[in-house]
Amino acid sequence: MSNPQHLQYTKEHEWLTAAEGGVSTVGITAHAADALGDIVYVQLPEVGDAVTAGETCGELESTKSVSDLYSPVTGEVTEVNQDVLDDNSLVNSAPFEGGWLFKVRVEATDELLSADEYDALTNPQA
């Protein structure tokens, strides 16, 4: 699965949409979902929580391991994806669509990567 060009990425394997009305959507990449394996538990920040760019804000547990979820931006969580909380497998099956994790009102961004920069990070031989 290729990484959508319209998204921005972190070195920790999260993706971020461009802000619409000041709000961006956050998820993890297909690369991260594949590396984790079958997701069996998702812990997300709650609506109203403040998140800080580069800091943990939740975790994903799979049949292989537990991985921290990092916020790509600083801001306030405006929505969490209840569908993912109800069906964790969406993170694996649709990481860029229905498997998004939360929405955040962006106050500041950390260093983000383009799709091509993220591809180079995850596929150095390509």
Side-chain angles (χ1 to χ4, degrees):
M1 177 180 290
S2 65
N3 296 300
Q5 291 289 316
H6 68 282
L7 300 175
Q8 292 183 297
Y9 301 86
T10 69
K11 292 178 182 175
E12 290 78 24
H13 311 290
E14 286 83 22
W15 57 260
L16 177 77
T17 63
E20 292 184 27
V23 175
S24 291
T25 302
V26 175
I28 67 165
T29 65
H31 176 83
D34 289 344
L36 281 169
D38 293 334
I39 305 292
V40 296
Y41 176 75
V42 176
Q43 182 216 340
L44 299 175
E46 295 184 15
V47 172
D49 282 356
V51 293
T52 302
E55 293 189 8
T56 60
C57 62
E59 67 182 29
L60 303 168
E61 184 177 333
S62 72
T63 55
K64 293 181 183 178
S65 67
V66 175
S67 181
D68 286 331
L69 174 64
Y70 294 90
S71 181
V73 296
T74 298
E76 180 184 341
V77 176
T78 62
E79 184 179 348
V80 296
N81 187 349
Q82 188 62 47
D83 291 341
V84 162
L85 295 174
D86 294 339
D87 180 4
N88 304 152
S89 70
L90 286 172
V91 176
N92 294 105
S93 64
F96 297 112
E97 296 89 25
W100 62 274
L101 300 175
F102 65 94
K103 294 186 180 189
V104 59
R105 184 168 312 286
V106 178
E107 295 171 9
T109 61
D110 206 356
E111 189 175 321
L112 299 171
L113 306 172
S114 70
D116 291 339
E117 291 167 329
Y118 183 74
D119 285 343
L121 175 74
T122 57
N123 299 310
Q125 294 84 10

